[in-house]
Amino acid sequence: MARQIKIFDTTLRDGEQAPGCSMNLQDKLEVAESLARLGVDIIEAGFAIASPGDFQSVQAIARSIKGVTVASLSRALEKDIDAAWNAIRDAESPRIHTFLATSPLHMEYKLKKTPDQVYEQAVKMVAYARNLCGDVEFSLEDASRSDPAFMYRVIEGVINAGASTVNIPDTVGYAVPEEFSALIRGIKNNVPNIDKAVISVHCHNDLGLGVANSLAAAMAGADQIECTVNGLGERAGNAALEEIVMNLYTRKDYYNMTTRVDSTQIWQASKKVSKATGVRSQPNKAVVGENAFAHESGIHQHGVLANRATYEIMTPESIGLPHNKMVLGKHSGRHAFEERLVYLGHRVSEERLASLFEEFKVLADKKKTVSDRDIDALVTGSSGGI
Ligand code: KIV
Ligand code: ZN
């Protein structure tokens, strides 16, 4: 049977940390509603201590969004954990997500602490959070650049202190898939109490490997993937939710894993996040880019018109788009041109079709794409239509 992967969405926290992507309370509530409709398992609603506005929006989401776990991030500090708990305590299913860095670089230069001090703080703060909330997640920030033996020790300690999810972030997008899956296998094989917790991964995209690393980790046994809609996030962003879900959906034959996400809600969620942040996805973005289901070249259009599977490995309907898009441009063939004429209600003779197609090619050479209005003008501006 297919293994179910939990989807932890952090669009409203890590996604919002992307420069220029901050959202107001109303935007955040609407995005949270979209995420609930999508069927994610956990919504990380924000970082409650970051600002009064953040606290307010985490609290509003915790109070109004049902059927999903609502988490707030907090550093491994009592005052952060208190703020997180106060913001989420009214949620149907609250989670405190606390974190501390474990890499030599972060411990020495950012935290100015020894590994033993970090271990103690992590364990103490997880126990503190667990006294407040029954669901505690602990993240080992910069895990992919940490000493594995030290991580095993921290993970064992925080699980004993009450963490039910242990998150392994590739904070700076440094890992490569084989290495990252080996890290997850190492944790499974070397942490004696690992079966008492869910292993989660959280991959950034600095080298464009966020999704590949997340999927490799899932293959190695991780049961939760943290991600964002449209891959929004710090620097080059986080692993994109829509890519993870559609990989598991489209290549179920390979992964044999599922999620609770309703893929037909992906398009609406993507548009909602673009609108709330003012950031549009690049046109060639996998799954949700404007061109992800568009075909311009004649060979591709001909293939798709004969059988969509020739050039579409997933259907637009499967992500909630009503149809694919045949873009008419200089690469388009007669087949697609004829289809568009019929679609626009122009019935023309074979001879007329041939001359219109020539006129279309001349026009297409001058424009990036040819619109329906251009085609209407081509037909009505001539005398041969019947
Ligand atoms: O990238 C990261 O390490 C994080 C943690 C706080 C989970 O966002
Ligand atoms: Zn992150």
Short mmCIF file of all heavy atoms in Angstrom, two decimals, residues 302-366:
data_model
loop_
_atom_site.label_atom_id
_atom_site.label_comp_id
_atom_site.label_asym_id
_atom_site.label_seq_id
_atom_site.Cartn_x
_atom_site.Cartn_y
_atom_site.Cartn_z
N HIS A 302 0.07 19.22 -32.81
CA HIS A 302 -0.53 18.12 -33.58
C HIS A 302 -0.63 16.88 -32.68
O HIS A 302 -1.66 16.22 -32.61
CB HIS A 302 0.34 17.85 -34.82
CG HIS A 302 -0.34 16.96 -35.81
ND1 HIS A 302 0.24 16.59 -36.99
CD2 HIS A 302 -1.53 16.34 -35.78
CE1 HIS A 302 -0.58 15.80 -37.65
NE2 HIS A 302 -1.67 15.63 -36.93
N GLY A 303 0.47 16.58 -31.97
CA GLY A 303 0.49 15.42 -31.07
C GLY A 303 -0.58 15.52 -30.01
O GLY A 303 -1.36 14.59 -29.80
N VAL A 304 -0.66 16.68 -29.36
CA VAL A 304 -1.60 16.84 -28.25
C VAL A 304 -3.05 16.78 -28.74
O VAL A 304 -3.92 16.22 -28.07
CB VAL A 304 -1.32 18.17 -27.50
CG1 VAL A 304 -2.44 18.52 -26.53
CG2 VAL A 304 0.00 18.06 -26.73
N LEU A 305 -3.27 17.33 -29.95
CA LEU A 305 -4.64 17.27 -30.48
C LEU A 305 -5.04 15.83 -30.81
O LEU A 305 -6.20 15.45 -30.69
CB LEU A 305 -4.77 18.17 -31.72
CG LEU A 305 -4.74 19.68 -31.41
CD1 LEU A 305 -4.63 20.50 -32.68
CD2 LEU A 305 -5.95 20.12 -30.59
N ALA A 306 -4.05 15.02 -31.19
CA ALA A 306 -4.35 13.61 -31.50
C ALA A 306 -4.50 12.80 -30.21
O ALA A 306 -5.40 11.98 -30.06
CB ALA A 306 -3.25 13.02 -32.38
N ASN A 307 -3.59 13.04 -29.27
CA ASN A 307 -3.64 12.34 -27.98
C ASN A 307 -2.81 13.16 -26.99
O ASN A 307 -1.60 13.29 -27.13
CB ASN A 307 -3.05 10.93 -28.11
CG ASN A 307 -3.09 10.17 -26.79
OD1 ASN A 307 -3.17 10.77 -25.71
ND2 ASN A 307 -3.02 8.86 -26.87
N ARG A 308 -3.48 13.68 -25.97
CA ARG A 308 -2.81 14.62 -25.05
C ARG A 308 -1.59 14.01 -24.38
O ARG A 308 -0.64 14.71 -24.04
CB ARG A 308 -3.81 15.09 -23.99
CG ARG A 308 -4.85 16.02 -24.58
CD ARG A 308 -6.04 16.15 -23.69
NE ARG A 308 -5.69 16.73 -22.41
CZ ARG A 308 -6.59 17.11 -21.51
NH1 ARG A 308 -7.87 16.97 -21.76
NH2 ARG A 308 -6.21 17.63 -20.38
N ALA A 309 -1.61 12.71 -24.18
CA ALA A 309 -0.51 12.06 -23.46
C ALA A 309 0.82 12.17 -24.21
O ALA A 309 1.88 11.96 -23.63
CB ALA A 309 -0.85 10.61 -23.19
N THR A 310 0.76 12.53 -25.51
CA THR A 310 2.02 12.63 -26.27
C THR A 310 2.97 13.65 -25.64
O THR A 310 4.16 13.44 -25.58
CB THR A 310 1.76 13.03 -27.74
OG1 THR A 310 0.89 14.16 -27.75
CG2 THR A 310 1.17 11.88 -28.57
N TYR A 311 2.40 14.79 -25.18
CA TYR A 311 3.25 15.83 -24.60
C TYR A 311 2.77 16.34 -23.25
O TYR A 311 3.22 17.38 -22.79
CB TYR A 311 3.42 17.01 -25.58
CG TYR A 311 4.26 16.65 -26.78
CD1 TYR A 311 3.67 16.34 -28.00
CD2 TYR A 311 5.65 16.60 -26.69
CE1 TYR A 311 4.44 15.98 -29.10
CE2 TYR A 311 6.43 16.25 -27.78
CZ TYR A 311 5.82 15.95 -28.98
OH TYR A 311 6.58 15.59 -30.05
N GLU A 312 1.80 15.64 -22.63
CA GLU A 312 1.36 16.06 -21.30
C GLU A 312 1.46 14.87 -20.36
O GLU A 312 0.72 13.89 -20.53
CB GLU A 312 -0.09 16.57 -21.34
CG GLU A 312 -0.22 17.94 -21.95
CD GLU A 312 -1.66 18.46 -22.01
OE1 GLU A 312 -2.58 17.78 -21.54
OE2 GLU A 312 -1.84 19.56 -22.57
N ILE A 313 2.36 14.94 -19.36
CA ILE A 313 2.48 13.81 -18.43
C ILE A 313 1.47 13.92 -17.30
O ILE A 313 1.30 13.01 -16.50
CB ILE A 313 3.91 13.69 -17.85
CG1 ILE A 313 4.31 14.98 -17.11
CG2 ILE A 313 4.91 13.33 -18.93
CD1 ILE A 313 5.49 14.78 -16.19
N MET A 314 0.87 15.10 -17.16
CA MET A 314 -0.24 15.25 -16.21
C MET A 314 -1.26 16.15 -16.91
O MET A 314 -0.89 16.92 -17.80
CB MET A 314 0.22 15.85 -14.88
CG MET A 314 1.08 17.06 -15.03
SD MET A 314 1.96 17.47 -13.50
CE MET A 314 3.34 18.38 -14.18
N THR A 315 -2.51 16.04 -16.50
CA THR A 315 -3.52 16.84 -17.20
C THR A 315 -3.70 18.18 -16.48
O THR A 315 -3.51 18.26 -15.26
CB THR A 315 -4.89 16.12 -17.21
OG1 THR A 315 -5.35 16.01 -15.86
CG2 THR A 315 -4.79 14.76 -17.86
N PRO A 316 -4.07 19.23 -17.24
CA PRO A 316 -4.35 20.50 -16.57
C PRO A 316 -5.48 20.35 -15.55
O PRO A 316 -5.46 20.95 -14.49
CB PRO A 316 -4.74 21.44 -17.71
CG PRO A 316 -4.92 20.58 -18.93
CD PRO A 316 -4.21 19.29 -18.70
N GLU A 317 -6.45 19.48 -15.88
CA GLU A 317 -7.59 19.27 -14.96
C GLU A 317 -7.10 18.75 -13.61
O GLU A 317 -7.70 19.04 -12.58
CB GLU A 317 -8.59 18.27 -15.56
CG GLU A 317 -9.33 18.77 -16.79
CD GLU A 317 -8.57 18.51 -18.10
OE1 GLU A 317 -7.36 18.14 -18.04
OE2 GLU A 317 -9.16 18.70 -19.17
N SER A 318 -6.01 17.97 -13.62
CA SER A 318 -5.56 17.37 -12.35
C SER A 318 -5.04 18.41 -11.37
O SER A 318 -4.92 18.15 -10.18
CB SER A 318 -4.48 16.30 -12.59
OG SER A 318 -3.31 16.91 -13.10
N ILE A 319 -4.73 19.63 -11.85
CA ILE A 319 -4.33 20.68 -10.90
C ILE A 319 -5.41 21.77 -10.80
O ILE A 319 -5.20 22.81 -10.19
CB ILE A 319 -2.96 21.32 -11.26
CG1 ILE A 319 -3.01 22.06 -12.59
CG2 ILE A 319 -1.85 20.29 -11.25
CD1 ILE A 319 -2.08 23.25 -12.61
N GLY A 320 -6.55 21.51 -11.47
CA GLY A 320 -7.67 22.45 -11.34
C GLY A 320 -7.75 23.48 -12.45
O GLY A 320 -8.48 24.46 -12.33
N LEU A 321 -7.02 23.25 -13.54
CA LEU A 321 -7.14 24.14 -14.70
C LEU A 321 -8.16 23.52 -15.64
O LEU A 321 -8.11 22.31 -15.88
CB LEU A 321 -5.80 24.19 -15.43
CG LEU A 321 -4.88 25.37 -15.20
CD1 LEU A 321 -3.57 25.14 -15.95
CD2 LEU A 321 -5.52 26.65 -15.70
N PRO A 322 -9.06 24.33 -16.23
CA PRO A 322 -10.10 23.71 -17.06
C PRO A 322 -9.54 23.04 -18.33
O PRO A 322 -10.09 22.06 -18.80
CB PRO A 322 -11.03 24.87 -17.42
CG PRO A 322 -10.31 26.11 -17.02
CD PRO A 322 -9.25 25.75 -16.03
N HIS A 323 -8.47 23.58 -18.88
CA HIS A 323 -7.93 22.97 -20.13
C HIS A 323 -6.51 23.42 -20.36
O HIS A 323 -6.03 24.37 -19.72
CB HIS A 323 -8.81 23.35 -21.34
CG HIS A 323 -9.11 24.81 -21.40
ND1 HIS A 323 -8.17 25.74 -21.77
CD2 HIS A 323 -10.23 25.51 -21.11
CE1 HIS A 323 -8.70 26.95 -21.70
NE2 HIS A 323 -9.95 26.85 -21.29
N ASN A 324 -5.87 22.78 -21.32
CA ASN A 324 -4.53 23.22 -21.70
C ASN A 324 -4.64 24.44 -22.62
O ASN A 324 -5.75 24.90 -22.91
CB ASN A 324 -3.73 22.08 -22.35
CG ASN A 324 -4.44 21.52 -23.57
OD1 ASN A 324 -5.35 22.15 -24.11
ND2 ASN A 324 -4.04 20.34 -23.99
N LYS A 325 -3.50 24.93 -23.06
CA LYS A 325 -3.54 26.16 -23.85
C LYS A 325 -2.75 25.93 -25.12
O LYS A 325 -1.59 25.53 -25.07
CB LYS A 325 -2.89 27.27 -23.02
CG LYS A 325 -3.18 28.66 -23.50
CD LYS A 325 -2.90 29.67 -22.39
CE LYS A 325 -1.46 30.11 -22.35
NZ LYS A 325 -1.12 31.05 -21.32
N MET A 326 -3.41 26.12 -26.25
CA MET A 326 -2.69 26.06 -27.52
C MET A 326 -2.32 27.50 -27.87
O MET A 326 -3.20 28.33 -28.14
CB MET A 326 -3.58 25.49 -28.63
CG MET A 326 -3.94 24.05 -28.41
SD MET A 326 -2.49 22.99 -28.56
CE MET A 326 -3.19 21.45 -28.00
N VAL A 327 -1.05 27.80 -27.82
CA VAL A 327 -0.61 29.16 -28.11
C VAL A 327 -0.28 29.22 -29.60
O VAL A 327 0.50 28.41 -30.10
CB VAL A 327 0.65 29.51 -27.29
CG1 VAL A 327 1.11 30.92 -27.61
CG2 VAL A 327 0.36 29.37 -25.80
N LEU A 328 -0.91 30.17 -30.27
CA LEU A 328 -0.62 30.28 -31.70
C LEU A 328 0.52 31.26 -31.91
O LEU A 328 0.46 32.41 -31.48
CB LEU A 328 -1.87 30.72 -32.47
CG LEU A 328 -2.99 29.66 -32.51
CD1 LEU A 328 -4.14 30.14 -33.37
CD2 LEU A 328 -2.48 28.32 -33.02
N GLY A 329 1.56 30.79 -32.54
CA GLY A 329 2.72 31.62 -32.84
C GLY A 329 3.38 31.08 -34.09
O GLY A 329 2.82 30.20 -34.77
N LYS A 330 4.59 31.55 -34.35
CA LYS A 330 5.21 31.16 -35.63
C LYS A 330 5.57 29.67 -35.71
O LYS A 330 5.77 29.14 -36.79
CB LYS A 330 6.44 32.02 -35.90
CG LYS A 330 7.60 31.79 -34.98
CD LYS A 330 8.78 32.60 -35.44
CE LYS A 330 9.95 32.35 -34.50
NZ LYS A 330 11.11 33.12 -34.88
N HIS A 331 5.59 28.99 -34.53
CA HIS A 331 5.92 27.56 -34.56
C HIS A 331 4.67 26.69 -34.75
O HIS A 331 4.78 25.48 -34.87
CB HIS A 331 6.61 27.14 -33.25
CG HIS A 331 7.85 27.91 -32.97
ND1 HIS A 331 7.96 28.82 -31.94
CD2 HIS A 331 9.03 27.93 -33.63
CE1 HIS A 331 9.17 29.36 -31.97
NE2 HIS A 331 9.83 28.84 -32.98
N SER A 332 3.50 27.31 -34.73
CA SER A 332 2.26 26.53 -34.78
C SER A 332 2.01 25.98 -36.18
O SER A 332 2.41 26.56 -37.19
CB SER A 332 1.07 27.39 -34.37
OG SER A 332 1.29 27.88 -33.08
N GLY A 333 1.28 24.86 -36.20
CA GLY A 333 0.98 24.23 -37.48
C GLY A 333 -0.46 24.48 -37.91
O GLY A 333 -1.25 25.07 -37.18
N ARG A 334 -0.75 23.98 -39.10
CA ARG A 334 -2.06 24.21 -39.71
C ARG A 334 -3.18 23.56 -38.89
O ARG A 334 -4.29 24.09 -38.80
CB ARG A 334 -1.99 23.62 -41.12
CG ARG A 334 -3.19 23.88 -41.97
CD ARG A 334 -2.92 23.40 -43.35
NE ARG A 334 -4.17 23.10 -44.01
CZ ARG A 334 -4.40 23.40 -45.26
NH1 ARG A 334 -3.46 23.98 -45.99
NH2 ARG A 334 -5.55 23.11 -45.80
N HIS A 335 -2.85 22.43 -38.30
CA HIS A 335 -3.82 21.70 -37.52
C HIS A 335 -4.40 22.56 -36.38
O HIS A 335 -5.61 22.66 -36.21
CB HIS A 335 -3.08 20.51 -36.90
CG HIS A 335 -3.86 19.27 -36.92
ND1 HIS A 335 -3.96 18.48 -38.04
CD2 HIS A 335 -4.61 18.68 -35.95
CE1 HIS A 335 -4.72 17.45 -37.76
NE2 HIS A 335 -5.13 17.55 -36.51
N ALA A 336 -3.49 23.14 -35.62
CA ALA A 336 -3.91 23.95 -34.47
C ALA A 336 -4.61 25.21 -34.96
O ALA A 336 -5.58 25.68 -34.34
CB ALA A 336 -2.70 24.32 -33.63
N PHE A 337 -4.15 25.77 -36.06
CA PHE A 337 -4.78 26.97 -36.62
C PHE A 337 -6.23 26.65 -37.01
O PHE A 337 -7.16 27.39 -36.68
CB PHE A 337 -3.97 27.46 -37.83
CG PHE A 337 -4.55 28.68 -38.47
CD1 PHE A 337 -4.56 29.90 -37.80
CD2 PHE A 337 -5.09 28.62 -39.76
CE1 PHE A 337 -5.12 31.03 -38.40
CE2 PHE A 337 -5.64 29.74 -40.36
CZ PHE A 337 -5.65 30.95 -39.67
N GLU A 338 -6.41 25.53 -37.65
CA GLU A 338 -7.76 25.14 -38.08
C GLU A 338 -8.67 24.92 -36.86
O GLU A 338 -9.81 25.37 -36.83
CB GLU A 338 -7.67 23.85 -38.91
CG GLU A 338 -9.00 23.47 -39.54
CD GLU A 338 -8.89 22.20 -40.38
OE1 GLU A 338 -7.79 21.64 -40.49
OE2 GLU A 338 -9.95 21.79 -40.90
N GLU A 339 -8.12 24.24 -35.84
CA GLU A 339 -8.88 24.03 -34.58
C GLU A 339 -9.35 25.34 -33.99
O GLU A 339 -10.47 25.48 -33.54
CB GLU A 339 -7.98 23.36 -33.54
CG GLU A 339 -7.85 21.88 -33.68
CD GLU A 339 -8.77 21.14 -32.74
OE1 GLU A 339 -9.04 21.66 -31.65
OE2 GLU A 339 -9.24 20.05 -33.13
N ARG A 340 -8.43 26.35 -34.00
CA ARG A 340 -8.77 27.64 -33.39
C ARG A 340 -9.86 28.34 -34.21
O ARG A 340 -10.76 28.96 -33.66
CB ARG A 340 -7.53 28.51 -33.28
CG ARG A 340 -7.75 29.80 -32.49
CD ARG A 340 -8.15 29.54 -31.03
NE ARG A 340 -7.13 28.79 -30.33
CZ ARG A 340 -6.13 29.34 -29.65
NH1 ARG A 340 -6.05 30.62 -29.52
NH2 ARG A 340 -5.23 28.59 -29.07
N LEU A 341 -9.79 28.21 -35.55
CA LEU A 341 -10.84 28.82 -36.37
C LEU A 341 -12.20 28.23 -36.01
O LEU A 341 -13.18 28.96 -35.81
CB LEU A 341 -10.55 28.56 -37.87
CG LEU A 341 -9.44 29.37 -38.53
CD1 LEU A 341 -9.34 28.99 -40.01
CD2 LEU A 341 -9.66 30.87 -38.40
N VAL A 342 -12.23 26.92 -35.88
CA VAL A 342 -13.50 26.24 -35.56
C VAL A 342 -13.97 26.70 -34.18
O VAL A 342 -15.13 27.05 -33.98
CB VAL A 342 -13.31 24.70 -35.60
CG1 VAL A 342 -14.55 23.98 -35.08
CG2 VAL A 342 -12.97 24.25 -37.01
N TYR A 343 -13.03 26.74 -33.22
CA TYR A 343 -13.36 27.17 -31.85
C TYR A 343 -13.94 28.58 -31.85
O TYR A 343 -14.88 28.89 -31.12
CB TYR A 343 -12.09 27.10 -31.00
CG TYR A 343 -12.21 27.67 -29.62
CD1 TYR A 343 -12.83 26.95 -28.61
CD2 TYR A 343 -11.71 28.93 -29.33
CE1 TYR A 343 -12.95 27.48 -27.33
CE2 TYR A 343 -11.82 29.48 -28.07
CZ TYR A 343 -12.44 28.75 -27.06
OH TYR A 343 -12.56 29.27 -25.81
N LEU A 344 -13.40 29.45 -32.74
CA LEU A 344 -13.88 30.83 -32.78
C LEU A 344 -15.13 30.99 -33.67
O LEU A 344 -15.63 32.09 -33.86
CB LEU A 344 -12.76 31.75 -33.29
CG LEU A 344 -11.55 31.88 -32.35
CD1 LEU A 344 -10.42 32.65 -33.03
CD2 LEU A 344 -11.93 32.55 -31.05
N GLY A 345 -15.58 29.88 -34.22
CA GLY A 345 -16.82 29.91 -34.98
C GLY A 345 -16.65 30.28 -36.45
O GLY A 345 -17.62 30.66 -37.12
N HIS A 346 -15.46 30.16 -36.99
CA HIS A 346 -15.24 30.48 -38.41
C HIS A 346 -15.20 29.19 -39.22
O HIS A 346 -14.30 28.37 -39.04
CB HIS A 346 -13.91 31.22 -38.59
CG HIS A 346 -13.82 32.49 -37.79
ND1 HIS A 346 -14.66 33.55 -37.99
CD2 HIS A 346 -12.98 32.85 -36.79
CE1 HIS A 346 -14.34 34.52 -37.14
NE2 HIS A 346 -13.33 34.12 -36.40
N ARG A 347 -16.18 29.06 -40.10
CA ARG A 347 -16.15 27.89 -40.99
C ARG A 347 -15.64 28.37 -42.34
O ARG A 347 -16.20 29.27 -42.95
CB ARG A 347 -17.54 27.29 -41.13
CG ARG A 347 -18.01 26.60 -39.85
CD ARG A 347 -19.21 25.70 -40.04
NE ARG A 347 -20.28 26.32 -40.83
CZ ARG A 347 -20.65 25.92 -42.04
NH1 ARG A 347 -20.05 24.91 -42.64
NH2 ARG A 347 -21.64 26.53 -42.68
N VAL A 348 -14.56 27.81 -42.82
CA VAL A 348 -13.98 28.27 -44.09
C VAL A 348 -13.70 27.07 -44.99
O VAL A 348 -13.54 25.94 -44.51
CB VAL A 348 -12.66 29.06 -43.86
CG1 VAL A 348 -12.90 30.34 -43.10
CG2 VAL A 348 -11.62 28.21 -43.16
N SER A 349 -13.63 27.35 -46.28
CA SER A 349 -13.34 26.27 -47.24
C SER A 349 -11.87 25.87 -47.13
O SER A 349 -11.06 26.61 -46.56
CB SER A 349 -13.62 26.75 -48.66
OG SER A 349 -12.71 27.81 -48.96
N GLU A 350 -11.54 24.73 -47.69
CA GLU A 350 -10.14 24.24 -47.68
C GLU A 350 -9.22 25.26 -48.32
O GLU A 350 -8.12 25.54 -47.82
CB GLU A 350 -10.05 22.92 -48.48
CG GLU A 350 -10.30 21.68 -47.65
CD GLU A 350 -9.31 21.52 -46.49
OE1 GLU A 350 -8.09 21.61 -46.73
OE2 GLU A 350 -9.78 21.35 -45.35
N GLU A 351 -9.69 25.81 -49.43
CA GLU A 351 -8.88 26.77 -50.18
C GLU A 351 -8.64 28.03 -49.35
O GLU A 351 -7.53 28.55 -49.24
CB GLU A 351 -9.66 27.12 -51.46
CG GLU A 351 -8.82 27.71 -52.56
CD GLU A 351 -9.74 28.14 -53.70
OE1 GLU A 351 -10.86 27.57 -53.82
OE2 GLU A 351 -9.34 29.06 -54.42
N ARG A 352 -9.72 28.48 -48.71
CA ARG A 352 -9.65 29.67 -47.87
C ARG A 352 -8.73 29.42 -46.64
O ARG A 352 -7.94 30.28 -46.26
CB ARG A 352 -11.07 30.02 -47.39
CG ARG A 352 -11.14 31.23 -46.53
CD ARG A 352 -10.89 32.50 -47.35
NE ARG A 352 -10.71 33.64 -46.47
CZ ARG A 352 -9.69 34.48 -46.53
NH1 ARG A 352 -8.74 34.31 -47.42
NH2 ARG A 352 -9.61 35.49 -45.70
N LEU A 353 -8.84 28.21 -46.12
CA LEU A 353 -8.00 27.84 -44.97
C LEU A 353 -6.52 27.96 -45.36
O LEU A 353 -5.70 28.50 -44.62
CB LEU A 353 -8.32 26.41 -44.54
CG LEU A 353 -7.43 25.82 -43.45
CD1 LEU A 353 -7.55 26.59 -42.14
CD2 LEU A 353 -7.77 24.34 -43.21
N ALA A 354 -6.20 27.49 -46.55
CA ALA A 354 -4.80 27.52 -46.99
C ALA A 354 -4.30 28.96 -47.08
O ALA A 354 -3.19 29.28 -46.62
CB ALA A 354 -4.67 26.82 -48.35
N SER A 355 -5.14 29.86 -47.63
CA SER A 355 -4.64 31.25 -47.77
C SER A 355 -4.61 31.95 -46.41
O SER A 355 -3.68 32.71 -46.11
CB SER A 355 -5.46 32.04 -48.80
OG SER A 355 -6.72 32.34 -48.28
N LEU A 356 -5.60 31.64 -45.54
CA LEU A 356 -5.58 32.25 -44.20
C LEU A 356 -4.36 31.78 -43.42
O LEU A 356 -3.74 32.54 -42.69
CB LEU A 356 -6.85 31.87 -43.43
CG LEU A 356 -8.09 32.69 -43.71
CD1 LEU A 356 -9.30 32.07 -43.02
CD2 LEU A 356 -7.91 34.14 -43.28
N PHE A 357 -4.00 30.51 -43.60
CA PHE A 357 -2.85 29.97 -42.88
C PHE A 357 -1.57 30.69 -43.32
O PHE A 357 -0.71 31.00 -42.50
CB PHE A 357 -2.74 28.46 -43.09
CG PHE A 357 -1.66 27.83 -42.27
CD1 PHE A 357 -1.68 27.91 -40.87
CD2 PHE A 357 -0.60 27.16 -42.87
CE1 PHE A 357 -0.67 27.34 -40.09
CE2 PHE A 357 0.41 26.58 -42.10
CZ PHE A 357 0.38 26.68 -40.71
N GLU A 358 -1.49 31.01 -44.59
CA GLU A 358 -0.30 31.76 -45.08
C GLU A 358 -0.27 33.15 -44.45
O GLU A 358 0.77 33.61 -43.99
CB GLU A 358 -0.35 31.89 -46.60
CG GLU A 358 0.36 30.73 -47.27
CD GLU A 358 0.23 30.80 -48.79
OE1 GLU A 358 0.18 31.92 -49.33
OE2 GLU A 358 0.17 29.71 -49.39
N GLU A 359 -1.44 33.80 -44.42
CA GLU A 359 -1.50 35.15 -43.82
C GLU A 359 -1.14 35.07 -42.32
O GLU A 359 -0.45 35.93 -41.78
CB GLU A 359 -2.92 35.73 -43.95
CG GLU A 359 -3.28 36.15 -45.36
CD GLU A 359 -4.74 36.63 -45.42
OE1 GLU A 359 -5.14 37.43 -44.54
OE2 GLU A 359 -5.47 36.19 -46.32
N PHE A 360 -1.62 34.01 -41.68
CA PHE A 360 -1.34 33.81 -40.25
C PHE A 360 0.17 33.70 -40.02
O PHE A 360 0.73 34.30 -39.11
CB PHE A 360 -2.08 32.56 -39.77
CG PHE A 360 -1.51 31.94 -38.52
CD1 PHE A 360 -1.72 32.53 -37.27
CD2 PHE A 360 -0.75 30.76 -38.58
CE1 PHE A 360 -1.18 31.96 -36.12
CE2 PHE A 360 -0.21 30.19 -37.44
CZ PHE A 360 -0.42 30.81 -36.20
N LYS A 361 0.86 32.95 -40.88
CA LYS A 361 2.31 32.75 -40.71
C LYS A 361 3.06 34.08 -40.88
O LYS A 361 4.03 34.35 -40.16
CB LYS A 361 2.83 31.72 -41.71
CG LYS A 361 2.56 30.29 -41.29
CD LYS A 361 3.50 29.85 -40.17
CE LYS A 361 3.33 28.40 -39.79
NZ LYS A 361 4.23 27.94 -38.74
N VAL A 362 2.59 34.90 -41.81
CA VAL A 362 3.24 36.21 -42.02
C VAL A 362 3.07 37.05 -40.75
O VAL A 362 4.00 37.67 -40.25
CB VAL A 362 2.63 36.93 -43.26
CG1 VAL A 362 3.14 38.37 -43.36
CG2 VAL A 362 2.94 36.14 -44.54
N LEU A 363 1.82 37.02 -40.22
CA LEU A 363 1.54 37.80 -39.00
C LEU A 363 2.35 37.26 -37.82
O LEU A 363 2.93 38.02 -37.04
CB LEU A 363 0.04 37.70 -38.70
CG LEU A 363 -0.46 38.48 -37.48
CD1 LEU A 363 -0.28 39.99 -37.69
CD2 LEU A 363 -1.94 38.17 -37.21
N ALA A 364 2.41 35.93 -37.70
CA ALA A 364 3.10 35.30 -36.56
C ALA A 364 4.58 35.65 -36.54
O ALA A 364 5.19 35.73 -35.47
CB ALA A 364 2.91 33.79 -36.61
N ASP A 365 5.15 35.86 -37.72
CA ASP A 365 6.57 36.24 -37.78
C ASP A 365 6.81 37.62 -37.17
O ASP A 365 7.91 37.92 -36.73
CB ASP A 365 7.01 36.27 -39.25
CG ASP A 365 7.96 35.12 -39.54
OD1 ASP A 365 8.48 34.54 -38.57
OD2 ASP A 365 8.17 34.82 -40.74
N LYS A 366 5.74 38.43 -37.13
CA LYS A 366 5.90 39.80 -36.62
C LYS A 366 5.53 39.92 -35.15
O LYS A 366 5.76 40.93 -34.53
CB LYS A 366 4.98 40.75 -37.42
CG LYS A 366 5.31 40.85 -38.88
CD LYS A 366 4.38 41.86 -39.54
CE LYS A 366 4.41 41.72 -41.04
NZ LYS A 366 3.12 41.93 -41.66
#
